[in-house]
Each structure stands twice: as C-alpha cells, then as structure tokens.
Amino acid sequence: MLPMMLALVILLPLMAALGCYFLRVSAIRSLIVLITGICIAATSLVLLGGGSFTYSPGTLLGVSWDFLVTLADFSLLFVILYYAFKLKNQLIKIFAVLQIIPLAVFELFFVDHAVEVPAFYADSLALIMVAVISIIGSLICFFAIPYMKEHEEHLHLVNSRQPRFFFYLVLFLGAMNGLVLSNNILWLYFFFEVTTFCSFMLIAHDETEIAVKNAIRALWMNSLGGVAFVFGMIWAYTEVGSLSLQTIINAGPMGGLMIVPVGLLCIAGFTKAAQVPFQSWLLGAMVAPTPVSALLHSSTMVKAGVYIVLRLAPAYAGTFFSQGIALCGAFTFLSCAAIAVSQSNGKKILAYSTISNLGLIICCAGLNTPWATSAAIILIIFHAISKALLFLCVGTIEQGIGSRNIEDMHGLYLKMPRTAIITIIGILTMILPPFGVLLGKWMAIEAASSNMFVIVMLALGSALSVVFWARWAGILLTAPIRKKVPAESQDILTRFTLKTLAGATVVLSLFSPAIYTRLIEPMIGKTYDISAGVFTSPVGTYAVYPIFFVLAVAFVYAWLETKKSGNIQNSQSYLCGANVKEPGVQAFIGPMNKPVGLTSSNYYLEALFGEEKLTLWINFVALALIVLMLGGAV
C-alpha cells in the first residue's frame, strides 16, 4: 500500500506531466490535470492519517533506484549547462560546472554505494508539507486550466504553449513531494534541482524579454544554492559517514568547522526561500502567469527552502549559528514588510509579504525551541492557504479590470463582487485574529520573548504588515451601497478554487487547536495548553473559539445594519468648492471657475520605504548577518 501511495504523490505527477505535453488536446489535458490533482490530494490525506514511516523502494527491473536518481541528476545538470550556453550566461555555466564536477568525484570516489540508506522518511512535518503541496498545488493547477486559456487569448498566440506550461506545473508537484519525503540526501538534492529547473521554465513561459531575463536570474541564484548544497552534502558525508539525512540530523549539534556543512545546506535553503539578499529572483518571478506565482509563493519552491532550514534545526540547536539564523529571518521579516508598505502593485505586495513571512518561519527555525517549531508549522500551513488565495484573486482581478494596481481596485465590488469579497476574506485572514496566520505570528513572538533583538524586529514587522494589508482591504471596501449587484460570470473551476481556498482559511483556523494537538504536539511534545480552544503558554494566551464567537456576532450585526442602510439616501460629499451637479460626476468648481475632478489615493511613503531607498542597504546588512552567522559559528 505504501509503495503505491508514494508512487501516486511522486511518480503520478511525472506521468501526468508527460500526458499534458504529448496529448495535445485541451479537453484531455484538463482531464489529466483534474484526475491527477484529485488523486494526489486524496493520497496526501491518507498518508497524513497513516503517520510516520521509513521506506526504501528497492529496484526497478533489476536496476537500483539510487542509480536511476543519480543518472537523472546528472542529466538534469547537463540540461542546465546546455541552457547556460544557449543563454550565454557565465554565472549559470560556472555554477553548473561547480555542481557537476564535485558531484561526479563524490559519487565515484567517496560514496559507499554498498551501504543501503532509506530513500524516504516521513514524520508529521514531512506529511504536512505533502498535504500542503498536493492539495493547494492541485487547486492552483485547477485554477490554471481556464486562466491559461484566457491568458493566451490576451497574448493572441497562434500556437498554444499550454502543453509545455502544464508539463512543468504538474511536474513541480511531484518534485516537491519527493523533496520533502527524501531521506537520502542525494535524492533530496535531485528534487531540489528539479524545482530549480521547473521554476526557470515557468518564469520564462511567456518568452518576453523581461520574462527571460527574470528566469535567468532565478536560475543562477538557485544554482548558487545548488553549489552550496553540493559542498554542504559532501562535507556532511565526510563528517558523519552517511547519506541519511536523519543520521546527519541525529548526530546532534555540531561545533567549530563541523557546523559549516549544515550552514551550507541552510544557505541553499536561504536561496530557495528567497531570503534577503537573494530575494530578487522571486520578485522577478512575478512576470510569470499568476498560477506560477501562486505555486512558487504558497505551496512549492520557496517552502522547500524553509523546509530544509527547519528540518536541519536539530543539527544546529544551541549554537551561535542558530541565533544567527533567527536574526537573519527576523531581519528579512522586518525589511520586506517595510518595502511592501511602499508598493501599489498587488503582485509585488504579495511577493514582499511572502518573503517577509518566510523570514518569520526561518526565524522560528533559528529560535529552535518547541514553541518556535510549533509556530513555524502553523505558519507553513496557513500562510500557504491565504497566500495562494490572494495570488489567484489578483490574477482574476487583473483579467477582469486589466490592472493589478490596488489603486485601480476602488469600488471593485460593483464590478466583481464575488472576487472582491473573497479577496477581502483572504486579506483579513492575514492580519486578524482568530485566523491561523496571526496565530502563527503570535506563537513566533511568544517564542522570541527572551531575545530582545528578534522580538523587536518581529513586533515592528507585524505592525508594518497591518499597514499594507489594511490599506488594500480599505480600497476594496470603497464602494457605494447598492441594493443588488449582479455577480460576475466566472468559470466553474475559477469559482471552485477561490471558494475552496477562502473556506479553508476560515474552517482550518476554526480547527487550529485540533491541528496542533493531532499533528504538531505528537511530533515535538506538548508546548501549549489548550482548553476550550484557548492556546496558553507561560507568556500569554490566544483565544481562538471566543474570538470566533465575537467575530460571528459582529458579522451578523454588520450584515443586518448594511441591509438597513440600503434604503438610505446618500448625499454628495463636499469637495472644497461648489459641487458639479451633473449625475455621476465627482468634481467641484475650482480656480478660474473651472471644474476640478476628484482624485483620491493612498500614501505609500516611498521616501521612507521605497525599493530604491532600502534594497541596497537591506542587502548589505543581510549579507553581513550571513557572514557573521557563519564566521561566528566557526
């Protein structure tokens, strides 16, 4: 049974990807994506219910799977090298060679292939990741079916690129599941590289100059992470004598130069998670079609980075290096939240917010306590859902109004009421109690209570997050009251995906105490006391169910009052002069007796938080922190 389920979550996406590429009929491709998504989502839940396991797949027709993975790994590296020459990029060439040669020497002269290493290992963390990848990733693929059809209509393409697009999109899911389940570090590295290549191809999908440029940046930055991974892996093997990730972790905290291999593996995680100063590749990825952005930011790719850092946490617990990771994560959380304040592009707000929240998860890994680990896992779950929802909402809005600028979303409810309401729900779940993202932030701040530098950065970053989220929600709520606004027409898969994710953000938040007690507590031990849905720690409490009750009462009251206000006659606002009385015209009589149109916009404080103002400095500080983290640990 277990081999079949592993084949479903890892190999089925590969077979489905091939089907999407070669069976070039739209209806067949859509059916393949739907069936694959349902299968891997259902299988992930069965695996989650089954609990921890260790497994080795044996052979395929007498050939070792280790050999097949090694062969596939070198093939992929040579494909990357081919693209390096095709694109004439020296950095990608150098980083590809710096992986191929050491890996070949390692495989041929260092690794004892006679020693069997379990290929797969799963605990609650890995199984939660599989569920997040399989369920949310599948929903994003469902959304992509109608989205890409309209996307290509806007581009006026003669020949559809959807076969190639869905090949990499679906393959991504299998690669991520393989990554989080791998115990053999060579397997983990292979899946790490597959996600790098898939992201490169998906970012470059539209083949515009800016798309190719940003795809190249993503490839060389993640290839840099691949180099760090290879050298960290080789060094860890020489120190521990095993390819088993669990053996490396269970060797205990390392000191002196022995911390370097773990540090290099964490740097690989930093690049994959787009932590400052490696954030530019993920920001550039915003040029890709929206499903790609949603997949990269919510359930795959960047989550691979935080998974690696979190998975390795026991190997650096109690060291200076661990404190350095907490500082680096907290700094990323604060700095990217600050830059997000200056953004009006919806996708960029989501991108900076993603990097910021990933920094918070990595900070929790660095704090390295049971409380911090609880916070990290809660954040992984709920951030993935809310962020996937918001990215897909922005994509839907962009196709509806032709803009992703939040200033163009004033009065969106009158044009796209369904999408506007769902977007507001997504935003509120990012900043308000009792929803899961804020629960995770509360846990993180509680866990950092003994570290003054970290807790100050987390508090400031949380405050800045409220600024840009509340501003966006306020814009969406600026619409005159109407008795009845007709709902916009949506494809059934679009509507299903958005409603499912919106419902999941609320329902799973309601069940967050059960998620903690059933999934997190058995893995890390009891940290929080829970009674009547109230999380209690030595520092404070977070009342999930009581707040939900208050929220429900407030919602019902607001709904009733809104229905009453539908009959109220609104008077025109005073506009600093005599109002122009033409129907539907928002203007006043200004200087020279001429009408002046009404314009309104938000403050974005670019002089304080602008990208051009802060990016260079935060990159410099982040690089200094990383050097301090590695150097101080040694």
Side-chain angles (χ1 to χ4, degrees):
M1 187 66 177
L2 181 59
M4 182 182 294
M5 289 191 289
L6 289 173
L8 284 172
V9 296
I10 299 174
L11 292 180
L12 177 61
L14 170 60
M15 303 307 295
L18 293 171
C20 289
Y21 188 80
F22 289 108
L23 302 176
R24 301 199 166 202
V25 178
S26 178
I28 295 176
R29 183 171 57 247
S30 299
L31 188 61
I32 290 172
V33 172
L34 289 170
I35 292 174
T36 303
I38 293 169
C39 286
I40 65 173
T43 305
S44 71
L45 292 176
V46 175
L47 285 171
L48 187 61
S52 302
F53 64 83
T54 302
Y55 178 72
S56 291
T59 63
L60 177 66
L61 301 176
V63 181
S64 166
W65 276 100
D66 287 343
F67 175 76
L68 293 174
V69 168
T70 299
L71 183 63
D73 202 356
F74 279 104
S75 299
L76 179 59
L77 287 172
F78 277 106
V79 168
I80 292 173
L81 188 60
Y82 162 76
Y83 274 97
F85 279 97
K86 181 180 179 180
L87 298 167
K88 299 177 181 179
N89 188 281
Q90 298 303 318
L91 281 176
I92 300 174
K93 291 178 187 177
I94 292 169
F95 294 148
V97 171
L98 285 177
Q99 291 177 78
I100 292 170
I101 294 176
L103 189 62
V105 172
F106 180 57
E107 289 271 16
L108 292 172
F109 302 108
F110 286 86
V111 177
D112 185 356
H113 292 284
V115 178
E116 185 177 345
V117 175
F120 298 111
Y121 170 82
D123 59 3
S124 291
L125 174 60
L127 294 174
I128 287 169
M129 288 292 299
V130 170
V132 168
I133 294 158
S134 300
I135 297 172
I136 298 176
S138 295
L139 287 170
I140 293 169
C141 290
F142 296 169
F143 177 92
I145 294 171
Y147 181 91
M148 289 307 296
K149 180 181 178 182
E150 188 167 346
H151 180 76
E152 291 194 341
E153 288 174 359
H154 288 163
L155 295 178
H156 305 292
L157 295 182
V158 177
N159 296 315
S160 174
R161 299 177 192 146
Q162 289 189 52
R164 185 183 67 187
F165 178 85
F166 281 98
F167 172 84
Y168 289 108
L169 199 72
V170 176
L171 179 62
F172 221 139
L173 302 184
M176 273 299 299
N177 282 332
L179 188 151
V180 299
L181 290 172
S182 291
N183 177 60
N184 186 320
I185 198 167
L186 283 169
W187 289 49
L188 177 61
Y189 169 70
F190 167 66
F191 289 119
F192 183 94
E193 287 302 298
V194 174
T195 62
T196 293
F197 187 68
C198 285
S199 64
F200 162 69
M201 296 302 294
L202 287 169
I203 294 168
H205 174 74
D206 285 340
E207 298 180 358
T208 60
E209 183 180 351
I210 190 170
V212 173
K213 178 182 177 182
N214 284 296
I216 291 171
R217 181 192 295 141
L219 185 56
W220 77 253
M221 276 199 176
N222 282 285
S223 294
L224 172 62
V227 173
F229 198 113
V230 167
F231 283 96
M233 173 175 60
I234 295 171
W235 197 330
Y237 180 82
T238 59
E239 295 289 348
V240 179
S242 175
L243 291 172
S244 170
L245 188 61
Q246 287 304 305
T247 302
I248 295 170
I249 293 169
N250 293 331
M254 300 180 182
L257 286 175
M258 291 180 69
I259 198 68
V260 176
V262 176
L264 289 171
L265 293 172
C266 287
I267 293 300
F270 272 43
T271 59
K272 189 70 75 174
Q275 294 298 279
V276 180
F278 308 111
Q279 78 280 14
S280 61
W281 79 260
L282 192 59
L283 296 170
M286 294 301 96
V287 302
T290 294
V292 177
S293 303
L295 203 63
L296 291 178
H297 284 254
S298 62
S299 58
T300 67
M301 191 64 174
V302 291
K303 287 295 192 299
V306 296
Y307 170 79
I308 289 170
V309 177
L310 190 59
R311 172 59 77 197
L312 292 169
Y316 54 78
T319 64
F320 179 85
F321 181 77
S322 188
Q323 298 176 42
I325 284 182
L327 282 172
C328 289
F331 180 73
T332 294
F333 177 65
L334 171 60
S335 58
C336 289
I339 295 179
V341 171
S342 69
Q343 303 302 307
S344 62
N345 182 308
K347 265 195 172 184
K348 270 207 167 182
I349 294 172
L350 295 177
Y352 274 114
S353 168
T354 295
I355 300 166
S356 177
N357 281 280
L358 294 174
L360 181 58
I361 298 170
I362 285 178
C363 174
C364 290
L367 291 171
N368 228 332
T369 64
W371 284 276
T373 304
S374 298
I377 297 172
I378 287 289
L379 283 166
I380 285 172
I381 297 170
F382 287 101
H383 174 262
I385 302 169
S386 293
K387 197 53 64 71
L389 173 63
L390 287 169
F391 266 108
L392 299 185
C393 284
V394 169
T396 305
I397 293 168
E398 184 178 13
Q399 287 191 339
I401 67 173
S403 173
R404 62 179 67 157
N405 192 310
I406 65 172
E407 288 295 332
D408 295 328
M409 297 180 193
H410 284 278
L412 183 68
Y413 179 79
L414 299 180
K415 303 171 186 175
M416 306 176 70
R418 283 175 176 162
T419 309
I421 291 172
I422 291 174
T423 306
I424 292 169
I425 291 171
I427 291 172
L428 295 182
T429 60
M430 291 294 298
I431 56 173
L432 286 184
F435 300 112
V437 174
L438 195 68
L439 170 63
K441 286 184 178 180
W442 172 79
M443 287 179 164
I445 292 173
E446 297 280 274
S449 58
S450 60
N451 190 319
M452 183 184 71
F453 294 106
V454 171
I455 198 169
V456 167
M457 285 191 281
L458 296 191
L460 290 174
S462 297
L464 290 171
S465 298
V466 173
V467 174
F468 60 79
W469 288 128
R471 176 173 60 205
W472 194 348
I475 287 172
L476 293 172
L477 289 167
T478 55
I481 296 170
R482 296 286 188 273
K483 288 185 178 180
K484 188 174 182 180
V485 178
E488 73 273 28
S489 61
Q490 284 181 334
D491 185 274
I492 188 171
L493 287 175
T494 302
R495 187 160 65 250
F496 170 77
T497 304
L498 295 182
K499 286 186 175 181
T500 301
L501 288 171
T505 59
V506 177
V507 173
L508 289 182
S509 294
L510 182 64
F511 288 101
S512 57
I515 291 172
Y516 170 78
T517 55
R518 300 281 181 87
L519 300 178
I520 301 174
E521 191 174 274
M523 179 176 64
I524 62 175
K526 188 172 183 179
T527 50
Y528 294 90
D529 291 317
I530 299 180
S531 177
V534 178
F535 285 83
T536 304
S537 75
V539 182
T541 60
Y542 190 96
V544 175
Y545 292 161
I547 298 174
F548 256 112
F549 175 76
V550 172
L551 187 67
V553 172
F555 177 80
V556 171
Y557 175 77
W559 181 265
L560 294 174
E561 289 299 310
T562 301
K563 290 185 70 175
K564 290 180 186 177
S565 64
N567 299 321
I568 297 174
Q569 183 66 37
N570 295 321
S571 60
Q572 193 175 16
S573 302
Y574 176 68
L575 302 177
C576 305
N579 291 346
V580 174
K581 296 183 178 180
E582 296 179 26
V585 176
Q586 292 286 316
F588 63 93
I589 303 301
M592 308 299 294
N593 204 33
K594 293 183 178 179
V596 179
L598 172 65
T599 58
S600 62
S601 64
N602 287 277
Y603 287 107
Y604 290 92
L605 305 174
E606 292 184 2
L608 290 174
F609 301 120
E611 276 184 298
E612 294 180 358
K613 290 275 185 182
L614 294 183
T615 299
L616 177 63
W617 292 105
I618 68 170
N619 285 347
F620 176 79
V621 173
L623 188 60
L625 285 173
I626 289 174
V627 172
L628 177 65
M629 174 179 70
L630 290 172
V634 174

